[in-house]
Amino acid sequence: MLVLTRRPGESIRIGSNIVVRIGRIRGNQVQVSIEAPDTVCIAREELIPQAHVPKRSRETREAMP
C-alpha cells in the first residue's frame, strides 16, 4: 500500500489516464475528484457487496483499526 499526503488542489496520477484530485477539506471530510476513462468502474466501497471485493482488500480493511 502506498500512502501519500496531499493538500487541497494537489493531485495523484495513477497510470497515464487516471487522476485523483483533492478538493476541499472540511473537518473530517475530504472532497475527492476522480478523472478516469468511462471503462473504469468507480464506486464508494460501502456500496459494493462483499462478494465483489477481492480477498486481499477485505483482509487489509479488516486489519485496519
Side-chain angles (χ1 to χ4, degrees), residues 1-7 11-12 14 22 60 64:
M1 176 187 302
L2 174 64
V3 178
L4 300 170
T5 302
R6 300 278 75 196
R7 292 191 172 123
S11 60
I12 299 165
I14 301 171
I22 305 303
T60 302
M64 296 177 82

Side-chain angles (χ1 to χ4, degrees), residues 7-47:
R7 292 191 172 123
E10 295 181 336
S11 60
I12 299 165
R13 183 170 291 276
I14 301 171
S16 62
N17 58 357
I18 299 174
V19 178
V20 179
R21 185 167 287 112
I22 305 303
R24 66 176 173 235
I25 300 172
R26 187 181 305 167
N28 62 351
Q29 291 186 330
V30 178
Q31 182 185 53
V32 177
S33 301
I34 303 169
E35 296 176 31
D38 292 337
T39 57
V40 176
C41 178
I42 301 171
R44 294 189 337 239
E45 186 174 21
E46 66 270 16
L47 299 179

Side-chain angles (χ1 to χ4, degrees), residues 40-58:
V40 176
C41 178
I42 301 171
R44 294 189 337 239
E45 186 174 21
E46 66 270 16
L47 299 179
I48 301 173
Q50 277 289 17
H52 295 245
V53 178
K55 184 176 188 254
R56 183 169 182 195
S57 294
R58 285 196 308 263

